[in-house]
Each structure stands twice: as structure tokens, then as C-alpha cells.
Amino acid sequence: RIMKYASIANQAMFGLDITTIHDKIQFTRYREGGKYDRHMDIGESCDIYACRKLSITVQLSYDKSYSGGDLIIRGSKHVPRRVGSACVFPSFLEHEVTPVTQGTRHSLVLWLYGPQFR
């Protein structure tokens, strides 16, 4: 199901050459104080992660079950927090998860790969 919606989003917005999945889906848990500093998901030119094209985050927690813990993507205005919503974005965009101030945030993260950017 995730791949279906990622493919639709890629065709509608990005048009990237997606060929494979390399990693297993990552389950993330951010407890109070948990965060992820600003970063990009694409790796250096000499490793497999340089071929990451799309990053996908699926919201598993109800938005009222935690405070803070916002996914912020450079250039975006709002990333949905509704349980079951998915956010698809190019892996070269800087993003972060702000500190959780109360409760626990759960999500799934997956990356789609293709030929390395040149």
C-alpha cells in the first residue's frame, strides 16, 4: 500500500526514476525529549544511500496522543499528523523531527531508490 501511494505521489509531483527498495521499513518511536536533528536522507556519492530518491513517513500515532514531535521539511508549510497519513518527499530535502514534549510519537519510515543523481 505504501508503494502504491509513493508511486502516485512521485508521478504527480517529482518524476524521479525509482527502481527498488533497499532497506526494511523502519519503525520509529520518539518518547518525551526524543527528536531527530535536521538532516538529509541521501548519502555520500560513494555509498548505496546516494541512490535514495524518495523518503516516506507514515504517521502511526493519533495527533492528540503526543505534543511536539513535528516533522518539518524544508520548504513545506504543514506535514499532516493524522493517523495513517503518509508524507512523501525527495530524500535530498533537509528535514527534522522536533522534540516530543509529551507522550510518544510512532511512525514508519521507508526510502525508495533509483539511479544516483548526477
Side-chain angles (χ1 to χ4, degrees):
R1 199 180 290 184
I2 294 172
M3 286 297 298
K4 174 185 171 186
Y5 291 114
S7 178
I8 291 168
N10 183 46
Q11 289 175 4
M13 296 184 289
F14 310 117
L16 298 173
D17 186 4
I18 303 296
T19 57
T20 190
I21 296 174
H22 177 73
D23 310 296
K24 293 181 180 181
I25 293 177
Q26 175 182 298
F27 173 77
T28 57
R29 176 184 299 125
Y30 295 90
R31 293 186 174 103
E32 196 168 315
K35 64 180 178 131
Y36 208 117
D37 291 331
R38 187 178 295 183
H39 67 285
M40 293 182 288
D41 290 338
I42 195 166
E44 299 295 323
S45 61
C46 59
D47 65 23
I48 185 66
Y49 304 113
C51 295
R52 282 183 176 169
K53 295 291 182 98
L54 287 179
S55 299
I56 304 150
T57 301
V58 179
Q59 177 72 16
L60 298 179
S61 299
Y62 289 98
D63 62 344
K64 306 267 190 232
S65 69
Y66 67 98
S67 299
D70 293 308
L71 173 61
I72 299 178
I73 302 169
R74 184 190 78 211
S76 70
K77 295 182 180 179
H78 176 73
V79 175
R81 287 175 54 136
R82 190 177 74 245
V83 69
S85 63
C87 180
V88 180
F89 58 95
S91 298
F92 57 77
L93 289 181
E94 286 185 337
H95 58 285
E96 65 184 301
V97 175
T98 62
V100 172
T101 56
Q102 182 179 4
T104 303
R105 175 188 187 265
H106 296 100
S107 64
L108 296 176
V109 180
L110 179 66
W111 303 274
L112 302 183
Y113 289 73
Q116 188 172 352
F117 290 109
R118 301 209 182 261

